[in-house]
Amino acid sequence: MRAVIAWFLLCICWPSAAGAPMPVTIALPGPGTLPYLPIDLMPKIGADKSEGVQVTLRHFGGGPLVIKDMMSGNSDFAALGFSALAETAGIEGKAYALASLVQVPAYTLMVSSRMKSKVKSPADLRGRSIGVHSGSKGGKSTGQHITEFLLGRAGVSPQDVNFISAGQNYKAYSAALLSGAADAIITNEPSATRLEAAGIAYRLVDLHDPTATRKYFGSLFQYTQLCARTDVIQHQTDKVNRVMAALISSLKWIQKHNAREVAERMGIQDQEERDTFIRALEKHRAMFSPDGVFSAEALAGTAALIKAVHEGEHEGPGLERLINDQWVGSRQ
């Protein structure tokens, strides 16, 4: 009889004892966009399972769509550009950035190869069509912010160009450029390297290098980050603890493994796509935060962007008020 009771109790308690992974959903741009590699890698290297969570990723065409998905309750967390988060209408107090992923603006302004004799600087894009990541009624994508910033430095206003939505993957980018729908496009890696290798487009401005970032912004730049809704932070603290531990493990894993090993874990089957990914990661590995910590210098770059695209009339909420850094901390 005791054996039967013991067996019965074991059956009742088994799910807890077995430690079934806690389901977690993260929304992010992509798939396959290099600035979000630390998130994409989490389930690939088992960083989530090691912390007792099972991550499901939901990919979208731009930051505004990502934040909308999270705020609608379809995902627990969102990874997106910090300026897109800051520009989301009514976001203050409803969601917070938890960890930094990339602290350079990791964008490349590419121009169609058919325009090579006509476009030699951002000023030459006046009157042209430019492909950007998808936005929403609540805000623009970080890619569009960056494009407007670069144009503004060249004396070109947003009204002087035609912005079109060009998705967030190589197939969409190449289609927009080859069809003539876009004369130029703002893109992330590895798509920039692939467009260049295919002869579809050439680099006009590359913002992956810290030196180039400081040239344009006067500092580093807080680009991608992981954020969560306030209710998740307050009422599902254990989930946040586990996801943050998994994310930091992923950031450290990137630093310890070469680009070919990363490509293998990502499961990239196409040879051309894999080679492009490896080249891009080898060149730009330094863009990733090693620990998720926010820096004052990087936030200053993001603040400069927001101020510039609004011509100094609107600076949005203080960026520090959008951060909950209890898991990673901050530095000057």
Side-chain angles (χ1 to χ4, degrees):
M1 184 64 179
R2 290 180 180 176
V4 173
I5 293 173
W7 177 84
F8 178 72
L9 290 174
L10 179 62
C11 289
I12 292 175
C13 297
W14 174 252
S16 175
M22 180 187 300
V24 170
T25 305
I26 303 176
L28 69 161
T33 304
L34 200 61
Y36 300 96
L37 177 63
I39 304 295
D40 281 323
L41 263 178
M42 284 167 61
K44 301 287 188 180
I45 62 175
D48 56 342
K49 296 291 194 340
S50 295
E51 299 299 334
V53 293
Q54 182 170 357
V55 167
T56 298
L57 303 178
R58 290 168 57 83
H59 291 101
F60 295 88
L65 301 181
V66 167
I67 196 69
K68 180 180 179 181
D69 187 72
M70 184 185 75
M71 298 310 294
S72 298
N74 296 319
S75 54
D76 304 301
F77 300 85
L80 70 158
F82 197 73
S83 71
L85 173 67
E87 287 282 273
T88 301
I91 197 65
E92 188 173 0
K94 297 179 181 177
Y96 290 91
L98 306 180
S100 170
L101 305 180
V102 171
Q103 292 193 341
V104 296
Y107 277 101
T108 304
L109 183 58
M110 308 285 291
V111 180
S112 171
S113 293
R114 59 186 165 79
M115 309 294 296
K116 198 154 192 177
S117 64
K118 301 177 182 178
V119 178
K120 300 184 182 300
S121 75
D124 298 327
L125 289 173
R126 189 188 305 272
R128 307 289 182 184
S129 293
I130 304 177
V132 296
H133 303 155
S134 301
S136 72
K137 292 182 180 179
K140 299 175 183 177
S141 66
T142 302
Q144 184 164 342
H145 286 150
I146 294 288
T147 305
E148 291 184 7
F149 177 83
L150 294 174
L151 292 172
R153 283 177 55 94
V156 180
S157 76
Q159 290 71 39
D160 292 333
V161 301
N162 177 35
F163 288 112
I164 67 166
S165 178
Q168 188 127 15
N169 59 65
Y170 173 77
K171 184 177 180 180
Y173 298 147
S174 57
L177 291 166
L178 290 171
S179 68
D183 300 310
I185 201 159
I186 191 78
T187 181
N188 299 117
E189 291 288 10
S191 293
T193 294
R194 196 171 179 187
L195 289 168
E196 185 177 48
I200 296 172
Y202 61 94
R203 297 171 191 260
L204 192 65
V205 179
D206 193 332
L207 294 172
H208 285 81
D209 184 79
T211 301
T213 299
R214 289 189 170 101
K215 171 186 174 182
Y216 283 95
F217 294 92
S219 67
L220 291 178
F221 183 91
Q222 180 54 55
Y223 175 28
T224 58
Q225 42 77 49
L226 182 70
C227 67
R229 297 190 313 275
T230 301
D231 65 284
V232 172
I233 295 171
Q234 292 179 344
H235 305 300
Q236 300 182 56
T237 307
D238 184 49
K239 178 182 289 187
V240 180
N241 290 341
R242 292 169 185 264
V243 169
M244 291 300 295
L247 174 59
I248 292 170
S249 292
S250 184
L251 289 169
K252 291 180 178 179
W253 196 93
I254 291 171
Q255 303 300 320
K256 295 177 181 178
H257 294 80
N258 63 44
R260 191 167 298 279
E261 290 174 308
V262 177
E264 289 175 359
R265 288 301 185 98
M266 286 295 293
I268 303 173
Q269 299 300 317
D270 181 82
Q271 184 68 46
E272 179 187 359
E273 184 180 351
R274 184 167 59 252
D275 290 345
T276 301
F277 176 92
I278 291 171
R279 290 200 304 274
L281 182 56
E282 286 177 340
K283 186 176 181 180
H284 302 304
R285 180 191 298 272
M287 74 183 191
F288 295 107
S289 169
D291 51 18
V293 176
F294 291 100
S295 80
E297 182 190 4
L299 290 173
T302 307
L305 171 68
I306 294 173
K307 183 176 181 179
V309 298
H310 289 287
E311 298 180 346
E313 297 176 2
H314 166 69
E315 298 184 29
L319 299 185
E320 293 80 5
R321 298 206 301 271
L322 293 175
I323 294 174
N324 184 332
D325 64 1
Q326 63 177 291
W327 287 273
V328 295
S330 299
R331 56 173 164 255
Q332 294 300 310

